[in-house]
Amino acid sequence: MGSDGVKVLGAWPSPFVLRVRIALRIKSVAYEFVEENVVVSKSELLLKSNPVHKQIPVLIHGDKPICESLVIVEYVDEAWPSSGPSILPSHPYDRATARFWAAYLDTKWFPKLRAILFGGGEETSALEEVTQGLVWLEEALILKGQNLNFFGGEKIGYLDIALGSFLAWVRVVEKRSNVSLIDEDKTPNLFKWAHHFSTHPAVKDVLPQTDKLLDFAQYLIAKLGPSRTTSN
């Protein structure tokens, strides 16, 4: 499908930008990826397109900017309804549940994952909370149905994108901190899910490589210290 003037302002390491790219790929929407180096400076286009938060990602569709990763994913699903499978669940309860878990990931879970990696004195408690969150998600995946590849069923859906966007960072934390988070013994369904997600055609070519992302994390730690501002 043609891009219809679709641009994504983002940076390759950002899990939030990754959400947008995966959603567009699921919908077979061509787009121009405009790489931003927000650690060094922010472009005038970014500041103009997202004057409130001044953060990536931003989707520009027909010269109109849409901000916030999960908002953009929903927009992509609605703007191209007949192109590719639906991303949001069809049932209102399933949509509400997916949105609940996505909000939990962004506001509670990922900040703790980041704390394990970037320090700040709360690594032990953060590890406990991240582990507990994965147990809850394992249970949610089991409740969704037996032997399903994704939270959305047999196809990638909203919650898969919300959680899967963090998968590369999970692997970085595991490697750098020598911990096991998504474990075949502790969370076997999530372990299987992670394999299906990372090898999906819409994901595998844009999912950051662990070693490359680890190098970037080391750079951030050296440059910014334990605290850093993230995109969303």
Side-chain angles (χ1 to χ4, degrees), residues 186-203:
K186 298 176 183 177
T187 54
N189 289 284
L190 274 181
F191 185 85
K192 182 179 73 172
W193 164 87
H195 170 74
H196 286 298
F197 181 85
S198 60
T199 57
H200 189 278
V203 177

Side-chain angles (χ1 to χ4, degrees), residues 51-205:
V52 176
H53 297 299
K54 302 178 177 62
Q55 291 180 332
I56 53 173
V58 175
L59 177 74
I60 301 177
H61 183 201
D63 296 325
K64 295 181 179 179
I66 303 96
C67 307
E68 304 290 317
S69 64
L70 293 175
V71 173
I72 297 172
V73 170
E74 294 198 32
Y75 175 85
V76 169
D77 197 32
E78 295 172 353
W80 290 277
S82 60
S83 181
S86 296
I87 295 174
L88 282 162
S90 59
H91 194 280
Y93 177 79
D94 292 336
R95 286 200 300 274
T97 301
R99 285 167 173 151
F100 167 83
W101 283 115
Y104 162 75
L105 288 168
D106 282 6
T107 61
K108 300 293 185 180
W109 187 83
F110 184 63
K112 296 302 180 182
L113 183 72
R114 194 171 64 242
I116 300 173
L117 183 62
F118 292 99
E122 55 173 318
E123 291 89 342
T124 301
S125 62
L127 178 59
E128 293 174 355
E129 293 189 47
V130 165
T131 302
Q132 178 60 65
L134 291 172
V135 170
W136 287 333
L137 288 160
E138 170 83 2
E139 293 172 353
L141 186 55
I142 293 172
L143 290 174
K144 181 68 179 179
Q146 296 294 325
N147 299 317
L148 292 178
N149 292 336
F150 302 106
F151 287 96
E154 289 305 313
K155 297 178 180 178
I156 286 182
Y158 185 77
L159 182 52
D160 299 295
I161 295 173
L163 176 59
S165 63
F166 297 130
L167 186 55
W169 282 102
V170 168
R171 291 169 175 169
V172 167
V173 170
E174 289 179 326
K175 189 167 186 176
R176 186 175 189 274
S177 302
N178 194 27
V179 296
S180 180
L181 296 176
I182 298 181
D183 184 271
E184 189 171 10
D185 294 324
K186 298 176 183 177
T187 54
N189 289 284
L190 274 181
F191 185 85
K192 182 179 73 172
W193 164 87
H195 170 74
H196 286 298
F197 181 85
S198 60
T199 57
H200 189 278
V203 177
K204 62 181 181 179
D205 293 334

Side-chain angles (χ1 to χ4, degrees), residues 6-9 14-26 29 31 56-60 66 68-73 76 87 161 165 232:
V6 177
K7 293 182 180 180
V8 176
L9 309 186
S14 169
F16 304 103
V17 173
L18 182 61
R19 290 174 175 174
V20 178
R21 302 184 74 182
I22 291 172
L24 289 168
R25 290 167 67 88
I26 287 173
V29 177
Y31 64 93
I56 53 173
V58 175
L59 177 74
I60 301 177
I66 303 96
E68 304 290 317
S69 64
L70 293 175
V71 173
I72 297 172
V73 170
V76 169
I87 295 174
I161 295 173
S165 63
N232 59 3

